[in-house]
Each structure stands twice: as C-alpha cells, then as structure tokens.
Amino acid sequence: MNHPSPPSLMIPSSSASPSSITNVPTGRPPLWTNSTQRKVCRLYLYTTLSISKILEVVHHPMPVDSIPGKDSANKKLNALLDKEPRWLKPRSEEDMIRRCEQLAKSPTRATACPWPAPLARPHSNSAPPPFSQTCTTPIKQETGAQSATLGVSPWSNSPVSQLPSTPYNGPPTPQPPGAYPATHGHGRSLSDDYTAGDVTLRLMPVSSRLSTSTDQTTGSFHRMLEGFSDNYIRSVKRLVKRYTAPIGQTPMGTSPLSDTVAAEPTWANDPDASPVFSTRPFPLPGDLLSIDVHLQQQNYCFAESEEHQKRWCLCHAQHQTPNFAWATAQGPTRHGMQLLTAGAYPAHAELRDDFGNTMLHFLAARGLEELLIHAVQADYSAPILNAKNSAGQTFLHVLGASWFQRLDALLRLLDLLATGVFDQGLRFDIGACDHYGRTFFHMLPSSDIPSETLQSIFQRYRGIIRTSRDAFDFQPISPDAGAPTEPMDCDRRESHDSGNDPFGYRLLDSRFLQLAREASSNPSLEDDAGRNGLHCLAMATLSQRSLINKVSPSPTTPQGRNKKKARTPEEMLDSSEEKLQFRLSLVEGLLDAGVDPNHYDSRGNTPLMAFCAELPEDDDYKTGPLILERLIKQGANVHARNRAGETALHIAVRCGRKLAIKVLLDHGANVHARDASGRSLLALADVKMRSCKEDVPVDYCHYEACRAYLSGKGYAVQEPSVLQEWGART
Ligand SMILES: [Zn+2]
C-alpha cells in the first residue's frame, strides 16, 4: 500500500464519543436552552409533527412571532443530529406509535416519575424480564456486576443505586409536593425538562393524570394540536412533559470513570459497557435443545439474583412457546422423542425448530452417538449437513456431554467429518464459527476432556483446525504467522508521557498506521493487542487537523467551526468526505489483500465493531456507511459478538452512531440481541443517556436518535424475549 504518512497520529478519542460536535449557538440564546434543545430533538425523533409545530409546542406559551424560525430550528437540528437528519424521523403514525410505545416501557425514562411505567408489572417466574418491575431494577443489576476493565462497579457512586430495589407492589403513596426534592436530593436535576407546574403532575398516578383534564396544560396541547387525535396529543404531551431522560445522574455529572481515571474513556473501555461473561455464554440456541435437562440441574433461581437479571438462567426461556421445538421444559416433543428412540427419517431432515436447530443438532445434543453418525451419512441429511442455528452453531458445536466420555465415538465422528465426502459431493465445514468466532475445537477446552487427551486431539487434527482467535482470546493452536515483521521502536502507550500529548496518542496512532500499511503485504499481521490491519485502520487518525484536536483540544476552536474553514488538505478533518474516501480506499486495499474482516483482537472485538465505533458521522454522511457496507459485503459478520455479548449494533449504540445503526439494520443485524448483562439495545441507549452531561445536549440527542430509530424503523423492543433474540430469521 502506498499512501502518505501523516507526520504524527493519535487515537481519535473524541470521535469515539458523540460529543465531537460543538454546540454552535444559533437563534436567540434564551430561546435555545439545553432543555429546549432536548425537547425539540425528542419531538423531532418521536413524532410526525412539522418543525414549525414542534417549535410552537416547545415554546408554548410564548407568542408565535417571538419563537425561533424554521431556519434557526433546522440549523439547530443539524448541529444536534448531524447533517440531513430527516431519515431519523418517523415515516408514519404507525412508526411514531412504535417509538412511543417502547419509550413507555423504558424503566429508566420512567425514573423521571416516582412510579413505574404504565405497562410495568410485578415480576414472577412467569413474567419474563425483570426489568419491568421497578424504576431501579436495571440500575440495580449493574451494582452487582464485575467490571471487566476497571474492577469497580459502574454505578457504585450513583445515588440511584442506593434506592430500594424491592419489587413493584402497586403505586406509591402520593406525597405532598414538598416531599419531592428530598426523594431525589442529590443536587442534580433528574429531569430538567419539567416546569414548575409539573411537580403536581409527577405526583399523580399516570392513569389518573391521563384520564383527567384538570391541569391547564392539557387544554393548551389540544389548542396547539387542533385536528390531531386524542392519542396523538397525549403522546406529544408525554414526550414534552414526561419522557425526559434522567441525564447527569452521576455525582459530578460525568461518567463514573472520569472522576478517578485520567484517560479519556473510549468505546473499548467504556464504563457503561457490559462486563464480560464470567463463564461461557449461556443459554445459546444449542442449549435450548436440552432445556429440560438444564432446568433439572439449575439451582433455585430468584428474581433478584445476578444470574436471573443477566438472563444466565433458563427461567426466561422455559416459558417461551415456540411454534416448533425438539424439546421443551417438559422434555422432548413427539418429533424429538421419535428421533431419540427410532433414529432419523427423511422427513425429519426438513424440520427446524424456531431457533434454527435441525435434527442433526438435536441428535448431537441428546442422541446416542451411533444415531448421529448414521444420520450424518444418510443422503437426506445432505441439505442440512452444514446448517447453522441462529447463533451460528453447526451440529458439531452442540455435542452433548456423553460424547466427551466416549472418545472413540468422538474421534470416529471427527474423522468422518474431517475427511468424508457426503452425498452430492458435500464436505462438512469443520472450520465453521459460531457468533463468538468459535469452531468446535475452540469449545473443546470447556468440556471435561483431560488436558493430555485434548492435546492429542489438537495434534491429530492439526492440519484442519482453524487457528483464528475467538471472542474469548483463545486459539486452539498458535498460528505461525502474526509476529510483527519488525519490532516497534516505541514505548507502550501507558509509559509514554509528554506535556502536549499526555496519553501518547501520537505514538499509538503512528503504530496503528504502520501496521495497517504493513498488513497490505502481510494480511495476518497483528499488533500486541491482536488487532489486524483493519482494526488498526479503524483506530488510526488520518488527518493532521483531527490529530491536533485530539492531542490538545482547544475550547476556543471547536471542531464544528474548523470544519467550515478547511480549504487545504491539511485542514481537513477525519469526518470530511475527502478523508473518509481515503479511508475507504485503504479499507478496500486491505480487504483485497486478504485481511480478515472477522478477525478478533485479544479484547474480543472485530474490525466491523471498531469501525462502527470510530467512524465519525458529524460531517460527510455518505462515505462512512460505504466503508461499513464494504466490510459487510466482504464477509464481516453483523451477528458476531464480543465477550461481553455485544454485537456491532450494541457498540454503535454505545457510541451514539446513528449511521452505523442504519447500515447494520439494512444488513439484517439482530435488533433483539442482549449483551452479557441482559441489556437490550434500547436499555443500553437508556444507560448511555444517564451519563450525558446536562450542558452537552448533542450527546443526549444522538442516543435519543439511536433509540428512536431502532424502535421505529428497526422494530426493536425494550425487553426482547428469548424467542425474539434467538428466533431464526428466514
Ligand atoms: Zn432465573
């Protein structure tokens, strides 16, 4: 590869955060308070109202001729939501209703009021997710969590974590208005968007508030929105008055990390990210084949336990009612029982359960060894030989425990699969990876096989075992390649310190670029953190101007203004079309050279995840998506998960990347995926909003945009069921 080498480079830390846009004042300052900006943004993202109507509603009761004009509002929206934000708006009232319905189910948005969301209900074993029980539950689940990167609980300093977490037992007793500040007496506004008159509203149960029109505001909303249905008006009113985000929840209005750690939080060490799995990811669709067995082995589970809240138990799955299953909580179904007792018939090969498991999966998980070996060789099995379930597992991924007690059978099966040519000339893809980048051999160490046996198996199949790293930083056999071609003559980032560049960004960034360059001739090259050329390219800053902004950010020359003045290549930011086009050409070069778009770095992230996190969206809005599309077209798996159970979508949400979310949705990414803490994409957006600073509305607006778009266009829900998360998509 031959491209100019920027003189010095650094980690684009501020582009990893949606706050890279400066709040450019437009309109008359008193009319654009931070609260007003959030309200305008919310109505824009959740309703079909026109801009002028939104302005009228938000600035009520000011006279119409004294509120900002449409131009001012459009400028403001461009500053808050980046260029051309129209695509983020609901397309129809159905779209709007979906967005508002999911907002009503958000427990953190409901923390703005002292009672649960209208649809909340007490948790019992039969009620799926624990999140709906109280305002505090989703936060409470964070308190017991082990932090993957810091060893401290992200919310340990949060006043919310000290609130009681008892299950919801009916609406709280209404308190006199004076009692309110004491309840939330941590000195920060919980919901700045409230006006004084709302205190009364907040202390009334939702149902009575909405069914009575005694408060003055209802009448004014009806006047402003004449011609709209009652439901529509109610939704608008809730958006203005009630669905405020509880921002600035941490003591200093900053993230829990930044009070104690000097380094800028990035997407890779985000304190709001889920801690990693403490054991293997469980339950996956392959485990549901034996749900009755696992349930028998499961200890008593209670709703407040960490396992239950993180959904590492089978309580949530056992009450699902799939249309078709090989086994349910009660045991094998009729088809399942037939398979286990009489073996496979041709008709069985056409059946798949709702999670995509075939009869081969079921036999592998539960059948006698001979039954599977026989079925695999049957001609009717050819169409499903390489079938994967919704977690990317082949039947080999889901072998039951008995296989590891009868090693002769296991070796016979592996020999057959490794060398056999099946009906129609098919071969079994023994290197197939699940969504965590694991082949069968990656999973072997977690079985009970003695280590000598394990090593002999690795030796026996040495030639066919994939050497790639999985999400858990495991490689069955160390690859020969991979060492840097020449030693890097620079210190590690941690030990580097200079006045101008306290985090050593320049040095680190030059290493990213160096590796990205060398990877074009040595595609398997990786750095000491396991990042390949594509990872490094995602992390590298390409423009000198962006670099200077990162190393010494100056409050007097915000990026937003620099952007407009750029006239020479040196002045262009990484978010400019020119620099993004340049990055696109580098990505294409690396892909053409054979750099793996599904390579896991040693922290368990893929290049697609890195690009979703790092690509700036605040200027050119067309080229960034092309880069992501190029990666996906070249095989980057949108379903790949890191060791915290996050998909690229989770990471895009954490970083407030709206365009990345759009691309991922367009390419079939799963909007119902939950991370290792059991959090849905919408729940994650809620968590991020809590960390937003009160005086940086742009952060809030980006997360709100992610949330709104996911629930509207993407049909994402607050609390996806097991069936929704793992249901096979056809
Ligand atoms: Zn449970």
Side-chain angles (χ1 to χ4, degrees), residues 128-359:
F131 291 169
S132 57
Q133 44 180 311
T134 67
C135 294
T136 56
T137 302
I139 306 309
K140 158 127 191 325
Q141 71 154 354
E142 297 290 324
T143 60
Q146 297 295 311
S147 168
T149 50
L150 294 169
V152 296
S153 159
W155 298 110
S156 57
N157 293 324
S158 165
V160 177
S161 67
Q162 292 149 20
L163 294 177
S165 59
T166 47
Y168 172 54
N169 290 317
T173 317
Q175 300 167 48
Y180 166 65
T183 315
H184 302 88
H186 51 81
R188 302 286 305 183
S189 64
L190 268 177
S191 55
D192 57 298
D193 298 336
Y194 277 105
T195 55
D198 292 330
V199 172
T200 321
L201 288 178
R202 298 171 64 173
L203 295 169
M204 291 165 59
V206 177
S207 54
S208 69
R209 170 150 65 90
L210 294 175
S211 59
T212 59
S213 299
T214 50
D215 58 287
Q216 296 162 351
T217 50
T218 304
S220 58
F221 273 86
H222 273 280
R223 276 193 300 281
M224 283 186 287
L225 300 172
E226 203 180 338
F228 288 89
S229 70
D230 282 354
N231 276 340
Y232 196 107
I233 294 169
R234 195 172 300 145
S235 295
V236 172
K237 188 183 164 192
R238 286 185 185 184
L239 284 165
V240 175
K241 300 284 182 188
R242 176 154 176 254
Y243 295 144
T244 56
I247 53 173
Q249 285 288 292
T250 43
M252 303 303 289
T254 57
S255 79
L257 181 75
S258 59
D259 289 337
T260 49
V261 179
E264 276 279 300
T266 68
W267 65 276
N269 67 357
D270 181 354
D272 288 329
S274 171
V276 301
F277 283 106
S278 60
T279 57
R280 73 180 182 95
F282 179 89
L284 292 180
D287 301 306
L288 300 179
L289 291 165
S290 309
I291 183 170
D292 50 321
V293 179
H294 287 302
L295 274 168
Q296 282 166 16
Q297 294 165 352
Q298 179 174 301
N299 292 328
Y300 176 73
C301 189
F302 52 102
E304 293 292 312
S305 71
E306 184 184 346
E307 282 74 17
H308 187 87
Q309 303 223 341
K310 291 184 171 178
R311 305 174 76 89
W312 295 350
C313 57
L314 283 155
C315 306
H316 311 279
Q318 72 169 318
H319 298 293
Q320 297 285 295
T321 47
N323 290 316
F324 175 74
W326 296 107
T328 67
Q330 284 72 47
T333 60
R334 184 170 59 86
H335 286 290
M337 195 53 89
Q338 271 179 6
L339 270 181
L340 294 182
T341 52
Y345 285 91
H348 288 134
E350 287 161 22
L351 298 173
R352 279 198 186 209
D353 72 13
D354 284 358
F355 306 103
N357 291 308
T358 66
M359 68 163 189

Side-chain angles (χ1 to χ4, degrees), residues 326 334-349 351 359-360 362-364 366-376 378 380-381:
W326 296 107
R334 184 170 59 86
H335 286 290
M337 195 53 89
Q338 271 179 6
L339 270 181
L340 294 182
T341 52
Y345 285 91
H348 288 134
L351 298 173
M359 68 163 189
L360 294 180
F362 186 64
L363 283 176
R366 307 190 62 163
L368 294 171
E369 291 78 8
E370 299 309 322
L371 283 181
L372 178 66
I373 290 175
H374 182 262
V376 163
Y380 53 78
S381 292

Side-chain angles (χ1 to χ4, degrees), residues 528-608:
D528 54 2
R531 290 176 286 230
N532 73 5
L534 285 166
H535 285 106
C536 290
L537 182 56
M539 307 288 285
T541 305
L542 299 180
S543 87
Q544 197 175 347
R545 191 62 169 268
S546 291
L547 169 79
I548 292 167
N549 285 351
K550 309 293 168 46
V551 175
S552 48
S554 161
T556 55
T557 56
Q559 282 187 55
R561 295 187 181 180
N562 286 350
K563 207 159 39 194
K564 291 174 189 158
K565 292 181 195 162
R567 292 192 188 91
T568 64
E570 291 74 36
E571 288 180 339
M572 281 164 187
L573 287 162
D574 273 9
S575 52
S576 65
E577 186 187 344
E578 291 79 3
K579 293 296 178 189
L580 283 168
Q581 285 286 351
F582 179 46
R583 199 181 295 266
L584 173 61
S585 68
L586 296 179
V587 167
E588 287 174 340
L590 289 177
L591 288 170
D592 290 345
V595 179
D596 181 6
N598 287 314
H599 179 83
Y600 276 101
D601 67 21
S602 52
R603 297 183 75 153
N605 293 310
T606 65
L608 183 63

